[in-house]
Amino acid sequence: MTAPRPDADPAPQQDHGRAGRDLKAAITSGVLLLSAIAASLVFWKPAFMVIVVVAVVVAIWELRQGLLAKDIDLPEQPLMIGGVVMVVVAYLYGSDALVTATAVTALVVMLWLLRRGIDGYVKNATASVFTLVYVPFLGSFVALLLSEGGRSGGGIDNDGVQAILAFILVTIASDIGGYIAGVLFGKHPMAPVISPKKSWEGFAGSMVATVGMGVLLVTVLLEGEWWVGVILGLIAVVMATLGDLCESVIKRDLGIKDMSQVIPGHGGLMDRLDSLLATIAPIWLLLHYLVFA
């Protein structure tokens, strides 16, 4: 057998076309994740909190791995423990407790970093507080939304379950609508330096999909006013797009393509959470005061 030449060209990477991802793996992973989420919400909604807690811990780990490329070393232990506490107290005690837990966690993290000395303190502390707000604080709004209608039980008739379903489905609608319109009609890049594949045509497709889904979900599932559904859709498309662009900027600055490879076909968990984290806080605010109040 002839040994390969040292200067031989490497095997070409598989081309996934304009989609930029392995659709088969992406669909399979998405179905499995959505099935786990649906099962937890239908049978006992506190079980969904376990999924949220795991997601927060994994997302913090991913951000730490990515930031190491810039010699930024996040203190995993206090961030993960504090992040879990923030999610749990948000679910059990509400928004006031979340604010307090966030402040205490930030102080603990800054004190924890004192153990490393002076060199790099400002850089690591700043990145840690950024991570704290970006992941567990925003993620805790999922817990606030789920707690609508009580903190126990489950099933499609529960207000919190319905709210989470609306939040997830309207964000998925933004992703799917933008993907289809972008692949079929995308010609004008929205932010070519940040995200070359994102187009204005894709954004228009996202807007149509999210507004339509928002009106449907609010009027049928949540039994609210149609105009609240329009606002829900507009919030989702704008914030999801901004969240995706911000995540793209972070990855480009760090010089990485994906945060990790924990989800086949999608990359890292943060690569899927970017839109969800950006949309959850304003969606909670909207539904809390205009639907459940």
Side-chain angles (χ1 to χ4, degrees), residues 151-226:
R151 296 174 177 83
S152 60
I156 195 65
D157 294 330
N158 184 275
D159 286 347
V161 172
Q162 292 177 347
I164 291 294
L165 290 176
F167 156 63
I168 293 175
L169 290 175
V170 77
T171 308
I172 290 176
S174 175
D175 194 21
I176 294 176
Y179 170 78
I180 294 175
V183 169
L184 295 179
F185 310 111
K187 293 181 180 179
H188 301 87
M190 175 180 288
V193 175
I194 299 174
S195 183
K197 293 182 180 295
K198 191 171 292 296
S199 65
W200 285 108
E201 290 81 3
F203 180 77
S206 292
M207 182 173 294
V208 172
T210 54
V211 170
M213 181 64 74
V215 172
L216 179 65
L217 290 169
V218 169
T219 56
V220 176
L221 183 63
L222 302 179
E223 298 181 351
E225 300 291 338
W226 67 268

Side-chain angles (χ1 to χ4, degrees), residues 82-219:
V84 171
V85 171
M86 288 163 60
V87 171
V88 172
V89 300
Y91 185 68
L92 295 177
Y93 305 112
S95 57
D96 291 343
L98 170 60
V99 172
T100 302
T102 303
V104 171
T105 303
L107 291 172
V108 169
V109 167
M110 288 188 287
L111 291 173
W112 185 282
L113 286 171
L114 289 175
R115 301 163 63 241
R116 298 182 182 177
I118 297 174
D119 188 37
Y121 179 82
V122 173
K123 176 177 64 176
N124 291 325
T126 302
S128 297
V129 175
F130 163 75
T131 300
L132 186 70
V133 173
Y134 188 28
V135 179
F137 179 72
L138 292 179
S140 293
F141 281 86
V142 175
L144 293 177
L145 195 59
L146 184 65
S147 66
E148 299 284 352
R151 296 174 177 83
S152 60
I156 195 65
D157 294 330
N158 184 275
D159 286 347
V161 172
Q162 292 177 347
I164 291 294
L165 290 176
F167 156 63
I168 293 175
L169 290 175
V170 77
T171 308
I172 290 176
S174 175
D175 194 21
I176 294 176
Y179 170 78
I180 294 175
V183 169
L184 295 179
F185 310 111
K187 293 181 180 179
H188 301 87
M190 175 180 288
V193 175
I194 299 174
S195 183
K197 293 182 180 295
K198 191 171 292 296
S199 65
W200 285 108
E201 290 81 3
F203 180 77
S206 292
M207 182 173 294
V208 172
T210 54
V211 170
M213 181 64 74
V215 172
L216 179 65
L217 290 169
V218 169
T219 56

Side-chain angles (χ1 to χ4, degrees), residues 244-263:
D244 187 49
L245 289 175
C246 287
E247 180 75 4
S248 296
V249 168
I250 292 172
K251 290 189 292 187
R252 285 187 175 275
D253 187 29
L254 297 177
I256 57 178
K257 183 179 184 297
D258 295 313
M259 282 296 183
S260 74
Q261 295 297 325
V262 297
I263 307 178

